[in-house]
Amino acid sequence: MTTAQTTASVSSRLGTRSPVLWWAGFGAVMVGAELIVLTRWVADRGWRLAQRPAPGAPGPGSPTITHVFTACWALVIAAMILWIIRDCRRSRRLSFPAVVVAAALLSPWLDLLGAARRPVFAYYADNPMVIRSWSPYLPGWRGGDQPVTDLLAQMLIYYVSMPLIFLIMREAVRYAARRRPHWGLLRLSAVSLAACTVCGAGLMFAGVAVRLFAFVDVIPELTLFHGTRFQYPLYDALLLGVCFAAFGMLWYRQDGHGLTAVERGADRLPTRYRTWARILAMTGTIQLALLAYGLGHVLLGLAASPAPAVLNTPVLLGPAAPW
């Protein structure tokens, strides 16, 4: 048998028993699409805002609270990164949290997908670190030409933080499994969903409270504090739970090699490919969850009401407001 035939035979056998190849393939496709979008954005110098709100432009709250919270949260993230590095060095392998961080850094391009048809949520434009988002370069985007994003705060609070949320979910499942040993996969998955819903809602509401972003067009009957800058749609929490609950179970159900269900088979790949396969597989999984979350908001946005007057300001709605 020739070398090519041997390689093809091994790949065929791996493909039938290695979910990591399927997920890594999907992750590679998503990263490829991301590169196309971001390349167009960079080539067009699309990060430049056509106009920023004038100093003192009317808007709810002050950006100072955002800066303070972001700085404090950066300390939390630094501690988490040190913990991850220590864990990787002790085990002499790339741990699940490390893989999640690497995958999360490849995934924020879908951040504003939920606002693709109407401004379901929007970032405040008077924070000095905001730039024009790449979202208008997404296929089918109709959410305005000048949406902004605070990339640093967004990455720290919502993407690099993913291992913290997944850790809480895993520990909740572990606790439930110890207290209720007879519980099966379905009930433990419900525990992970509940933990994800609560933690996700807390983190999202924190972003609203510290004035990083606001939920703009919402369904009033399903929204807490409707009509204020603190309004938070309860269905967002449920969407987060449904779309991300699986990650708590993935971590809880690691195999003897420390691999989750989507990474299974990576240990049978050549050594030089294992790390990249695991990262791409996790990237595909996270981006699938983000895609489902964004499309869920697009659909629910069809029943949403326009932004209340307190949020209809130049610092939030950009071109929809009189700049």
Side-chain angles (χ1 to χ4, degrees):
M1 183 179 291
T2 65
T3 302
Q5 290 173 325
T6 301
T7 302
S9 176
V10 171
S11 299
S12 177
R13 291 198 302 272
L14 282 173
T16 59
R17 295 180 297 175
S18 297
V20 67
L21 294 182
W22 296 99
W23 283 107
F26 178 71
V29 170
M30 294 298 285
V31 170
E34 178 179 13
L35 286 174
I36 292 173
V37 169
L38 295 183
T39 298
R40 291 180 57 207
W41 176 65
V42 171
D44 290 347
R45 303 181 72 182
W47 65 86
R48 298 181 303 169
L49 285 172
Q51 186 177 355
R52 291 180 179 271
S62 166
T64 302
I65 189 173
T66 311
H67 306 157
V68 173
F69 181 81
T70 302
C72 293
W73 194 256
L75 297 177
V76 175
I77 295 303
M80 183 197 74
I81 295 297
L82 289 175
W83 166 66
I84 291 175
I85 292 173
R86 184 178 179 182
D87 184 46
C88 290
R89 293 182 64 181
R90 184 175 60 248
S91 61
R92 296 185 178 181
R93 63 178 178 82
L94 202 64
S95 65
F96 175 78
V99 173
V100 169
V101 169
L105 291 173
L106 293 173
S107 301
W109 72 296
L110 294 174
D111 185 65
L112 286 176
L113 178 62
R117 311 299 282 185
R118 61 186 300 168
V120 172
F121 37 74
Y123 285 85
Y124 286 89
D126 59 349
N127 289 328
M129 297 294 290
V130 298
I131 56 176
R132 181 177 174 235
S133 172
W134 50 83
S135 299
Y137 295 84
L138 294 173
W141 176 266
R142 295 185 183 178
D145 186 52
Q146 292 285 325
V148 302
T149 181
D150 190 328
L151 187 58
L152 176 61
Q154 167 199 4
M155 293 294 292
L156 282 175
I157 299 173
Y158 295 106
Y159 288 88
V160 184
S161 300
M162 283 185 179
L164 291 177
I165 304 301
F166 298 166
L167 176 64
I168 294 172
M169 292 156 59
R170 185 196 66 173
E171 292 305 307
V173 173
R174 279 184 171 178
Y175 178 78
R178 286 196 302 267
R179 295 296 301 269
R180 299 288 188 273
H182 60 283
W183 278 14
L185 180 62
L186 185 60
R187 288 182 176 180
L188 293 178
S189 296
V191 171
S192 184
L193 187 150
C196 184
T197 299
V198 172
C199 292
L203 199 55
M204 292 297 279
F205 187 73
V208 172
V210 303
R211 203 180 173 277
L212 174 62
F213 70 97
F215 283 90
V216 184
D217 292 3
V218 296
I219 302 174
E221 297 78 9
L222 301 177
T223 301
L224 290 176
F225 312 119
H226 180 254
T228 73
R229 81 170 182 89
F230 298 100
Q231 65 180 18
Y232 178 69
L234 294 174
Y235 50 85
D236 175 75
L238 185 58
L239 269 178
L240 286 168
V242 170
C243 295
F244 289 91
F247 292 94
M249 293 301 295
L250 284 174
W251 197 351
Y252 172 70
R253 291 170 59 85
Q254 283 180 312
D255 64 15
H257 298 284
L259 301 176
T260 63
V262 299
E263 302 167 278
R264 207 137 298 159
D267 54 315
R268 298 196 296 272
L269 295 173
T271 303
R272 63 182 179 277
Y273 298 135
R274 290 176 187 173
T275 297
W276 291 109
R278 292 179 63 200
I279 291 173
L280 281 175
M282 193 58 61
T283 300
T285 313
I286 289 175
Q287 293 205 20
L288 180 62
L290 289 169
L291 188 63
Y293 173 74
L295 292 178
H297 267 298
V298 169
L299 293 175
L300 288 166
L302 298 176
S305 298
V310 69
L311 297 178
N312 191 13
T313 65
V315 299
L316 191 61
L317 289 180
W323 282 20

